[in-house]
Amino acid sequence: MQPLFASEPSIEDQLYRILNSTRPEYAWKLRRYFEEHWEPSLSFQNEGLDGFREKTHFMVRKLLQADLLSLAELNQKPSEYMKFCEHSCWIDGSVAATLFGHFLIFGGSLVFLGTERHRSLVDVADDFRLPGCFCMTEVGHGSNLAGLGTTATYDAERGEFIINTPSWRDAKWAIALLAWNARVVTVMAQLYMPDGECKGIHSFLVPVRDEEGRPLPGVKISDVDWLIGLNGVGIGGAMFEQVRIPRENLLNRFADVTAEGKYVTSFDSPGDLFRAQISPLMIERLVPFAVAGMKIALAVAARYGKERRQFGPRGGPERPIIEYSSHKRRLMPGVAETYAIAFMLERLHLEADVTMPEPLPTPLQPLCASFKAYSYETATRVIQNARECCGVHSFRHINKIARAQLDMHGFAHAAGDNVVLFQYAGRILLEDFAGGKGPFKEAAEPDASACSVTCVKHQELFAARFSQLLDYTRGEFMKHMGEGMNRGDAWNEILTFAIELGRAYAIRETHKQFLRVIGACAPGPAKDILTELCELYGWSTLSANLGWYRDVSDGSLELSALFVERTVLEYSQRLAPKLDLLVDSFGIPEVLLPAADLMADLPGKFS
Ligand SMILES: Cc1cc2nc3c(=O)[nH]c(=O)nc-3n(C[C@H](O)[C@H](O)[C@H](O)COP(=O)(O)OP(=O)(O)OC[C@H]3O[C@@H](n4cnc5c(N)ncnc54)[C@H](O)[C@@H]3O)c2cc1C
């Protein structure tokens, strides 16, 4: 590896730096760690369920004990966790999701919702000595947190909370690590005071297993068993039967029950308190599962495309499949989308670093929500496509790409259901009469003079589609209200368009961020490549929804279906010779990649 800060960095290193612009040195440190310390044997073969979980948790422990990450600093440098998570995804989605469940959301609940009195737990959670998990979801309630059924009733005489699950429908469910080794969990529950008043959702620390891993009295733990993906995590459920915990186990940063049994909070409205209590969950929307999956899937497909030969001229050698124009068309737009999504994520990580430990500012919330959904739905398509480009050899779990595809299905719901997030973003954008302008306080509009004319025209189309949807959807909502419909029913009528509005917003902002990156790039080959990639991203995004863009076009860009498809193909062909460079710049350590031909273990099978 060439040093990252070589006086004349190669194009690959320049792209790597831009792809990791929030913390390039830290990303580099992780890359070196894997190159130097990660054994090839630390990979998954064909383990059964228990073996898979055992190995996943072994790897998580090894990673957290490598002194690369600090839980106490999560609320100051969340972007370090994000880079760490990206590298762990390249080991396997189960490793990343276990880290997510333990470190980000359980550990995050301690540092974002807890206070000094929970500090000792931060130290033992930091290196996985105390595995924990975060129990929000229930059998009967997922996205609608306000409807959770688990209760925490305060017993003033004993200074304790009693955690209870009224029925199996209120059992905690789909909780990462709970089926395997979590010993303490953060439980989200409705807080009831002794007079019967409900104070809404609060978070409580509840021990669930003893040191030997046996469930504690009153705690019934279950396993959700085989899932589509992420089977190494140990996803489980739990019921609590009148489990008593000390008063101090309430995570009390925003609200508390005093030793005298008095409920105190600095928030005036229950709505604001609820938003504060769930604010740490915002950060989970910035987790890079999607982009990490896209990167490894494309890297695998690019390498395989060069190795794999099929058909060819009569009597001559077979041709590498990457030489087929259709193959380039299948892969290159996904590469452009990966760069676009990576750039936006870097920007959001920077924002999180600057803002934390305070909650992300309100204008960023619709962007975080819609971008999470947009990036995951894009990743699901791109990874599927890349896997199909590798044929039957991609079908085997040990070659990683199938697993990346399967794991992505879980991530469509974890960290917020994609569709619910789009509509959440749509609702805020509709209510905000500034119309989603300026989510980043410190980021100027892109400098049009530093971008190509094509890029500028694409941005105009993305912006026009967003504006049209905003005006139309708002108009429809007002019309329904004017006709006497109540808010809930009027909202239900426009839901499909509100979701599309969220998607259009994410696309407009993602493309805009790409333009900012190009604008900040010094003239040279790296900038030229990024400009072409951005143009391809623009064209292929238009091609997926051409009708919408024709509706808002001013006619200055040809948008016939044939022309757009030809253009996407031309860009794909032109950029294909740079495919190696583009995927090598992702910086995936070689030890985490399968053999280029996806056949490393096959000779042994036939010897
Ligand atoms: C791999 C994985 C790991 C997870 N880990 C954890 C964990 O560690 N801790 C934890 O607490 N939870 C965890 N979860 C659960 C996750 O948080 C939930 O999946 C998520 O909150 C969504 O809830 P739900 O799946 O019950 O979907 P629901 O909210 O029931 O939604 C079901 C469907 O209805 C749609 N829908 C819902 N509401 C509306 C609406 N208002 N309008 C229109 N459509 C709607 C949704 O889009 C979705 O398609 C995990 C999930 C997965 C898949």
Side-chain angles (χ1 to χ4, degrees):
M1 283 194 296
Q2 190 187 338
L4 180 61
F5 299 109
S7 53
E8 281 196 40
S10 63
I11 303 174
E12 181 184 322
D13 288 341
Q14 290 175 52
L15 294 176
Y16 177 78
R17 268 198 80 96
I18 301 172
L19 283 164
N20 295 284
S21 61
T22 308
R23 295 214 172 258
E25 296 84 358
Y26 184 69
W28 189 252
K29 180 175 162 182
L30 293 175
R31 191 170 164 183
R32 287 183 68 97
Y33 167 79
F34 281 101
E35 299 285 10
E36 290 167 11
H37 299 289
W38 202 254
E39 302 284 326
S41 62
L42 284 166
S43 60
F44 293 101
Q45 299 302 321
N46 293 301
E47 293 81 6
L49 189 57
D50 282 1
F52 188 8
R53 290 174 174 181
E54 188 84 56
K55 208 163 184 179
T56 299
H57 287 244
F58 173 80
M59 290 190 204
V60 168
R61 184 166 292 107
K62 184 174 169 67
L63 286 170
L64 288 179
Q65 292 180 353
D67 210 15
L68 293 163
L69 194 63
S70 154
L71 181 54
E73 290 178 349
L74 179 64
N75 59 3
Q76 294 139 49
K77 299 192 276 186
S79 65
E80 286 200 348
Y81 163 79
M82 300 297 169
K83 281 288 149 221
F84 195 84
C85 173
E86 181 170 32
H87 284 72
S88 68
C89 274
W90 295 334
I91 304 171
D92 192 272
S94 283
V95 174
T98 303
L99 272 166
F100 168 83
H102 166 75
F103 195 90
L104 187 74
I105 54 176
F106 168 67
S109 72
L110 300 175
V111 294
F112 290 115
L113 296 177
T115 54
E116 202 45 41
R117 73 188 189 203
H118 308 109
R119 173 71 217 197
S120 60
L121 282 181
V122 173
D123 296 338
V124 280
D126 179 76
D127 59 5
F128 213 43
R129 268 175 291 160
L130 182 76
C133 61
F134 185 75
C135 299
M136 171 185 76
T137 309
E138 295 176 353
V139 172
H141 283 99
S143 307
N144 181 14
L145 293 185
L148 294 182
T150 307
T151 58
T153 307
Y154 189 60
D155 176 344
E157 269 175 32
R158 291 173 58 175
E160 291 173 342
F161 292 103
I162 305 163
I163 308 293
N164 194 50
T165 309
S167 85
W168 67 267
R169 288 185 189 280
D170 305 305
K172 294 296 176 186
W173 190 243
I175 309 297
L177 285 87
L178 191 49
W180 197 239
N181 62 4
R183 288 201 6 237
V184 176
V185 306
T186 298
V187 173
M188 273 194 161
Q190 309 280 1
L191 167 57
Y192 282 90
M193 296 305 288
D195 62 3
E197 188 186 357
C198 180
K199 297 289 187 184
I201 294 294
H202 292 66
S203 295
F204 304 84
L205 291 168
V206 184
V208 290
R209 283 192 175 91
D210 65 16
E211 293 201 355
E212 270 73 53
R214 290 175 300 230
L216 291 170
V219 181
K220 210 180 281 173
I221 295 179
S222 64
D223 196 322
V224 302
D225 304 320
W226 281 100
L227 302 159
I228 300 180
L230 300 171
N231 284 295
V233 178
I235 296 183
M239 284 187 79
F240 302 96
E241 199 183 330
Q242 310 288 345
V243 174
R244 288 182 166 270
I245 53 167
R247 181 182 64 85
E248 292 77 10
N249 284 23
L250 168 64
L251 292 171
N252 60 334
R253 176 166 166 216
F254 297 118
D256 204 358
V257 175
T258 65
E260 295 72 39
K262 194 164 166 257
Y263 180 81
V264 286
T265 175
S266 53
F267 287 85
D268 293 333
S269 92
D272 288 345
L273 174 61
F274 177 70
R275 276 185 285 281
Q277 299 279 34
I278 62 167
S279 61
L281 297 174
M282 295 296 158
I283 196 177
E284 62 175 13
R285 296 179 186 161
L286 307 186
V287 168
F289 294 137
V291 80
M294 290 161 87
K295 284 179 181 173
I296 196 160
L298 289 164
V300 170
R303 286 152 53 110
Y304 185 75
K306 277 202 326 190
E307 290 282 322
R308 183 70 167 180
R309 290 168 180 269
Q310 291 292 298
F311 303 99
R314 194 182 293 270
E318 289 187 302
R319 298 176 72 175
I321 54 175
I322 192 63
E323 289 184 6
Y324 293 109
S325 62
S326 57
H327 213 74
K328 296 172 192 171
R329 171 66 180 86
R330 289 163 80 189
L331 286 177
M332 296 314 298
V335 176
E337 286 173 302
T338 304
Y339 271 75
I341 284 172
F343 293 155
M344 177 52 107
L345 203 54
E346 285 300 309
R347 188 69 186 80
L348 290 170
H349 290 169
L350 178 68
E351 210 68 33
D353 274 5
V354 174
T355 315
M356 297 279 164
E358 294 312 312
L360 292 172
T362 312
L364 266 183
Q365 292 182 7
L367 181 57
C368 292
S370 61
F371 177 72
K372 185 271 169 183
Y374 168 63
S375 59
Y376 283 70
E377 69 177 17
T378 306
T380 304
R381 172 174 45 75
V382 168
I383 297 170
Q384 156 101 10
N385 216 9
R387 193 198 61 68
E388 288 178 10
C389 283
C390 300
V392 70
H393 295 293
S394 70
F395 224 57
R396 303 180 67 218
H397 278 247
I398 67 163
N399 286 329
K400 296 209 170 185
I401 192 164
R403 198 109 107 202
Q405 186 188 351
L406 293 172
D407 292 345
M408 204 49 59
H409 293 301
F411 296 140
H413 311 293
D417 178 88
N418 283 353
V419 169
V420 171
L421 290 182
F422 272 140
Q423 56 169 280
Y424 165 78
R427 183 172 57 75
I428 299 182
L429 293 165
L430 286 165
E431 285 169 356
D432 165 20
F433 279 80
K437 282 202 185 99
F440 302 118
K441 218 165 81 200
E442 304 295 337
E445 287 295 289
D447 174 5
S449 67
C451 306
S452 72
V453 176
T454 306
C455 285
V456 173
K457 286 200 177 302
H458 286 165
Q459 175 59 208
E460 284 168 6
L461 282 167
F462 296 137
R465 176 182 180 231
F466 171 75
S467 298
Q468 187 208 37
L469 270 164
L470 186 71
D471 292 345
Y472 172 77
T473 314
R474 191 180 277 155
E476 285 294 286
F477 182 74
M478 301 311 272
K479 191 180 87 189
H480 294 313
M481 294 281 286
E483 288 166 357
M485 226 180 237
N486 66 43
R487 278 186 87 81
D489 287 343
W491 170 245
N492 199 14
E493 285 296 312
I494 60 158
L495 208 44
T496 299
F497 293 100
I499 291 166
E500 202 54 41
L501 178 66
R503 186 177 285 117
Y505 183 58
I507 291 173
R508 184 190 83 176
E509 290 301 315
T510 302
H511 185 261
K512 195 185 278 184
Q513 182 57 22
F514 207 147
L515 299 188
R516 285 196 194 97
V517 169
I518 293 173
C521 222
K527 179 170 180 161
D528 295 342
I529 292 172
L530 290 180
T531 300
E532 282 204 295
L533 268 184
C534 187
E535 290 175 357
L536 174 55
Y537 171 63
W539 283 116
S540 67
T541 305
L542 293 178
S543 79
N545 263 312
L546 208 46
W548 282 103
Y549 297 106
R550 282 210 209 101
D551 283 358
V552 295
S553 167
D554 64 4
S556 61
L557 205 61
E558 182 169 350
L559 289 180
S560 77
L562 197 60
F563 175 81
V564 173
E565 182 52 37
R566 267 233 66 87
T567 308
V568 172
L569 177 60
E570 275 167 25
Y571 273 90
S572 300
Q573 302 237 60
R574 207 177 322 143
L575 277 162
K578 302 194 178 78
L579 179 58
D580 285 352
L581 167 70
L582 291 168
V583 299
D584 288 350
S585 304
F586 295 155
I588 303 173
E590 187 62 35
V591 68
L592 301 182
L593 283 165
D597 65 0
L598 302 181
M599 298 178 197
D601 63 331
L602 295 196
K605 283 195 181 290
F606 297 106
S607 61

